[in-house]
Amino acid sequence: MVVQVAQAIQDYLEDTLVRSIHPRTPNHCPAMLTWELRLPRNPELNTSRLPSLPASSIQQLLGALSMLFLLISVTTAQQQNSSTPPIKPPTPHELLTRAVQMYEAGKFSAALKAFREAADDGNVEAMMYLGVMYGSGTGTELNYTESMAWFVKAANHGDSQAMTNIGLLYYRGLGQTQDYRQALSWFHKSAVLGNSEGMFNTGALYRDGLGMPVNYGEAMNWFRKAADAGNSDAMNDVGMLYEQGHGVPADPSEAMKWYRRAASNGNNSAMYNVGVLYENGLGVGKDRDQALLWYRGAARAGNAEAKRTLKTLGVAE
């Protein structure tokens, strides 16, 4: 039996938020130069040619020299102060770069603090990292409420992935009451901005009738948009709707085309579905060898249903 789309979306949504966010790697910043100011050396006095002077004259000369040295010292200090560049605080981008470096080095507590500084200065990427870290308990205690708060801040700056993550929290009821209408609202906002995950999730809720009545036409609409944006889960589900005749006339040949397209993008559910169509001769001639080939490929890619099918058929992976 073909893998049910409902199971595919459940597996997809049960992934951690870390997988959902796709953090961006900031560009590397050049090391800041440390300028060392050097003062010119004072010329040494050559006293060998000074004429002999009476004691009073010498005292006067020494007094004049002391005053001269004092004036030189004051002038030098003023020049130092005027030529020393002011120390600039790090920019939000520099804070983010340091935070990412600490995060990648596994220094999560220190990274959390640095991300917080960058986020407080308005860096949206840092807000996203904070949302993920609080939502996965990385470098801090698990706190979905805090995770939601940072995703909302990033969403208010127009980040579409933050909107998708907010939708996921509502969908799963993490940190707040489960609310499919709110989930759909946030998925749709993300989708309108071009986020393929938001498009796919919007289609899934329309397909499953969560937050609204079942609407296969809208589901197909959003799955097609997500597929055109490169989302392989959506490609697989377009094939599913064609195979089952939901929202469109049943067309196993068209289903096979979409399953193959998703499989070529590494989707193991689609690989399994290609095998099912070959085994049952749907849209193609029945071909057990091709079916086993695709089942094995799906199993190697981690598809549990393919592994169970091979075991049932008494065939090694």
Side-chain angles (χ1 to χ4, degrees), residues 43-71:
E44 294 181 1
L45 292 177
N46 184 352
T47 59
S48 60
R49 296 183 181 179
L50 290 177
S52 298
L53 295 173
S56 59
S57 298
I58 292 175
Q59 290 176 348
Q60 291 175 357
L61 178 60
L62 289 174
L65 288 173
S66 297
M67 182 62 68
L68 177 62
F69 284 133
L70 177 61
L71 291 173

Side-chain angles (χ1 to χ4, degrees), residues 139 168 173 240 259 271:
L168 288 171
M240 187 77 69
Y259 288 150
M271 296 175 193

Side-chain angles (χ1 to χ4, degrees), residues 160-234:
S160 66
Q161 189 60 49
M163 298 172 191
T164 294
N165 291 344
I166 293 169
L168 288 171
L169 292 175
Y170 274 118
Y171 179 90
R172 298 176 63 187
L174 300 176
Q176 49 275 311
T177 303
Q178 189 175 48
D179 190 329
Y180 293 130
R181 284 187 175 275
Q182 280 288 343
L184 177 63
S185 174
W186 283 102
F187 288 150
H188 187 266
K189 289 177 182 178
S190 174
V192 169
L193 292 176
N195 185 285
S196 69
E197 288 180 30
M199 295 174 190
F200 173 76
N201 293 348
T202 298
L205 294 191
Y206 274 115
R207 178 205 60 212
D208 296 336
L210 298 176
M212 86 298 295
V214 170
N215 189 327
Y216 291 121
E218 275 298 299
M220 176 64 87
N221 174 47
W222 285 107
F223 285 151
R224 285 294 298 265
K225 288 183 178 181
D228 290 343
N231 188 297
S232 67
D233 289 316

